[in-house]
Amino acid sequence: MPREILTLQIGQCGNQIGSEFWKQICLEHGISPEGLLQPHPSGTTVDDRKDVFFYQADDEHYIPRAMLIDLEPRVINKINTGPYRALFNPENLFVASDGGGAGNNWASGFRQGEEHLESIMEMIDREADAADSMEGFVLTHSIAGGTGSGLGSFMLEKLNDHFPKKLIQTYSVFPNWDQNQSDVVVQPYNSVLTLKRLCLNADAVVVLDNTALNRIAVDRLRLPNPTVDQLNSLVATIMAASTTTLRYPSYNNNDLIGLVASLIPTPRCHFLMSGYTPLVLADAQVSAIRKTTVLDVMRRLTQTKNIMVSASTRQGCYISMLNIISGENIDPTDVHKSLQRIREKRLVNFIPWGPASIQVALARKSPYVEVAHKVSGFMLANHTSMSSLFSRTITQFDKIKKRNAFLDNYRKEPMFAENLDEFDDSREVVQSLVEEYKACERPDYASFGLD
């Protein structure tokens, strides 16, 4: 039975990475930009689960289970005039009627969420009722702007109230940490306010870090000035790879709960880092890696330079790690040998209080996509060095908060009209998350927070 997943794309960044993701999985399932299924090149039927992310219209078109939500029309208009304009259900596109956006203000995005709640919830309920056995939601957004962070936070709270038993997984884009490169001067405020909701209302957060994505594009893909589209296609690769086992099911990890449960032992520590090798951009079919073996791919996945988060895995330890290896006819004995070599060389350092093992899922390749490499690997890991990412956000937050800088726009919104307590509450939640991740490194973690 399919376990359907509804995708919510919120804000400029959420819609950009979301539309790249749909392009990618349409390619992998042989679905044309108009939503029509292409015949398989070899004439055989393909055993895949399209209905996890798509449903069929009356005229046999495939339509994504996606809601595109934004407070300003630019990105959604671009999708509407692009090659994939016929793919999405027009009823599932929501643009605020005034079209003014949230002006990079979290509080404005949150307030507008309350104003438009009825229209957005009606869309979500319609899609949820149409699914046979919906498993949960995937939310794509960024945490630094106004719509993705503010409206995204509001929707996280509402989804949790409205669908308490459904999983919520997010792909959250974290901002550039270098102050010279950041576009938004209030990004520390927006980030801390959003992190509180991600911590309390999401079941799993895949962290995508702009700084690390830029670094990978420059160092690994040899792109001197990566464009936004190139970075978005990296994110789409990650999103598509993380859902491979749901769409091309194998023996295990073939539903979202199976993926998430194995990676998150305690509810608060649910921020995951990802890695992928070998990376190839769609428009440049040249990769820096010429030969791939299972051992080679698994070894590369443990290296910090292949990880899409600017937190070093050399410090701290892994709480859990899942590798999804895809390729033709992969021999399980190769996987066992590779795991043995990684263990012998002590390439990964695990927590002292839990099982120290790398989980491996073997996934089938899409028959519709020609790839140059025999083996590719994707990693999702829960690592204690994530705390450094949150500490950095708190440090930047404190810098501007102690001067009470840029708070006038927030005070204009109802949430902050009387006081600014929400800032302190959010900072406290993020600080306790940092402490919990640090406590994971100690053998007595089981008793953390009990005294």
Side-chain angles (χ1 to χ4, degrees):
M1 182 172 20
R3 306 280 281 134
E4 296 96 350
I5 293 168
L6 302 193
T7 308
L8 276 83
Q9 302 170 190
I10 299 182
Q12 178 184 341
C13 174
N15 279 300
Q16 283 173 336
I17 62 176
S19 66
E20 286 293 326
F21 166 67
W22 290 110
K23 272 185 210 170
Q24 182 67 29
I25 67 169
C26 280
L27 280 177
E28 290 187 16
H29 288 286
I31 293 170
S32 72
E34 293 76 40
L36 296 167
L37 190 60
Q38 304 297 312
H40 185 258
S42 67
T44 54
T45 54
V46 180
D47 177 24
D48 60 0
R49 280 192 193 159
K50 295 179 193 64
D51 35 9
V52 173
F53 285 100
F54 295 91
Y55 61 90
Q56 271 189 292
D58 295 345
D59 59 358
E60 303 290 299
H61 276 63
Y62 279 92
I63 297 174
R65 300 179 190 276
M67 278 131 291
L68 286 63
I69 300 164
D70 204 351
L71 297 175
E72 49 122 15
R74 199 173 33 150
V75 179
I76 290 183
N77 283 353
K78 191 179 169 191
I79 293 169
N80 262 339
T81 53
Y84 284 79
R85 59 185 175 277
L87 185 67
F88 298 98
N89 179 353
E91 285 187 311
N92 287 359
L93 310 182
F94 175 84
V95 179
S97 46
D98 56 356
N104 289 327
N105 180 341
W106 182 93
S108 168
F110 198 89
R111 169 184 56 78
Q112 291 186 60
E114 288 174 345
E115 290 167 8
H116 300 301
L117 175 65
E118 206 172 304
S119 326
I120 296 173
M121 253 359 225
E122 185 198 334
M123 258 177 8
I124 295 171
D125 280 336
R126 186 184 67 247
E127 286 293 329
D129 292 343
D132 290 340
S133 59
M134 185 180 80
E135 183 164 35
F137 298 93
V138 162
L139 180 89
T140 61
H141 67 135
S142 81
I143 71 164
T147 308
S149 66
L151 178 59
S153 297
F154 181 76
M155 288 317 300
L156 275 172
E157 289 184 1
K158 289 299 164 208
L159 287 175
N160 226 343
D161 292 346
H162 207 73
F163 300 96
K165 293 206 167 111
K166 302 297 178 195
L167 277 179
I168 302 174
Q169 183 190 18
T170 75
Y171 290 88
S172 304
V173 177
F174 279 53
N176 269 319
W177 300 109
D178 181 355
Q179 285 295 322
N180 306 326
Q181 289 188 333
S182 69
D183 307 331
V184 185
V185 72
V186 290
Q187 76 183 23
Y189 289 153
N190 295 337
S191 300
V192 166
L193 290 162
T194 312
L195 276 171
K196 174 185 170 183
R197 274 75 190 178
L198 287 174
C199 189
L200 302 179
N201 297 303
D203 295 296
V205 176
V206 178
V207 175
L208 300 158
D209 181 345
N210 263 338
T211 317
L213 290 170
N214 265 312
R215 188 201 71 229
I216 285 172
V218 172
D219 296 352
R220 316 291 298 153
L221 294 169
R222 308 274 190 277
L223 299 170
N225 294 310
T227 63
V228 171
D229 286 344
Q230 286 170 328
L231 294 183
N232 287 344
S233 86
L234 284 185
V235 174
T237 305
I238 289 292
M239 288 178 69
S242 66
T243 58
T244 311
T245 54
L246 312 179
R247 298 179 289 112
Y248 282 93
S250 55
Y251 298 110
N252 53 2
N253 302 96
N254 50 18
D255 59 358
L256 197 56
I257 186 99
L259 273 176
V260 168
S262 60
L263 286 165
I264 299 167
T266 55
R268 293 284 292 279
C269 298
H270 59 243
F271 290 81
L272 308 174
M273 55 172 63
S274 56
Y276 188 85
T277 185
L279 277 168
V280 183
L281 277 179
D283 51 357
Q285 279 298 333
V286 181
S287 162
I289 299 158
R290 294 282 184 255
K291 181 171 170 29
T292 53
T293 63
V294 173
L295 173 60
D296 187 52
V297 161
M298 286 176 73
R299 191 188 283 135
R300 280 175 201 281
L301 289 176
T302 63
Q303 295 168 348
T304 298
K305 62 186 178 188
N306 288 318
I307 288 169
M308 308 266 172
V309 172
S310 48
S312 172
T313 52
R314 293 188 186 96
Q315 277 93 36
C317 44
Y318 283 96
I319 298 170
S320 57
M321 184 175 181
L322 168 71
N323 287 346
I324 298 177
I325 309 290
S326 60
E328 289 301 317
N329 308 323
I330 292 173
D331 187 351
T333 54
D334 288 347
V335 175
H336 286 291
K337 282 179 192 161
S338 308
L339 287 170
Q340 219 165 343
R341 288 289 292 280
I342 288 170
R343 202 167 290 138
E344 282 164 10
K345 293 197 168 184
R346 303 211 168 152
L347 293 176
V348 286
N349 196 5
F350 275 94
I351 43 169
W353 49 270
S357 67
I358 300 173
Q359 301 160 63
V360 180
L362 297 180
R364 289 178 292 143
K365 268 175 152 173
S366 162
Y368 290 99
V369 182
E370 286 291 320
V371 280
H373 298 105
K374 286 185 178 171
V375 185
S376 61
F378 169 73
M379 177 199 72
L380 265 183
N382 200 343
H383 197 279
T384 58
S385 68
M386 277 300 197
S387 61
S388 66
L389 211 60
F390 308 132
S391 301
R392 221 174 299 160
T393 311
I394 289 176
T395 310
Q396 290 190 344
F397 172 84
D398 290 344
K399 255 186 214 165
I400 58 173
K401 181 72 170 65
K402 73 177 180 212
R403 298 196 177 116
N404 281 337
F406 314 116
L407 286 173
D408 293 348
N409 284 340
Y410 290 85
R411 286 200 175 98
K412 288 175 191 163
E413 300 295 339
M415 184 181 239
F416 296 100
E418 289 173 20
N419 55 46
L420 299 172
D421 290 354
E422 184 57 41
F423 280 118
D424 301 327
D425 287 353
S426 300
R427 189 196 181 285
E428 209 173 294
V429 169
V430 180
Q431 185 60 51
S432 72
L433 181 66
V434 171
E435 280 154 21
E436 180 147 355
Y437 263 115
K438 284 182 177 161
C440 282
E441 295 173 15
R442 302 197 296 266
D444 61 350
Y445 172 64
S447 55
F448 171 76
L450 297 178
D451 39 303

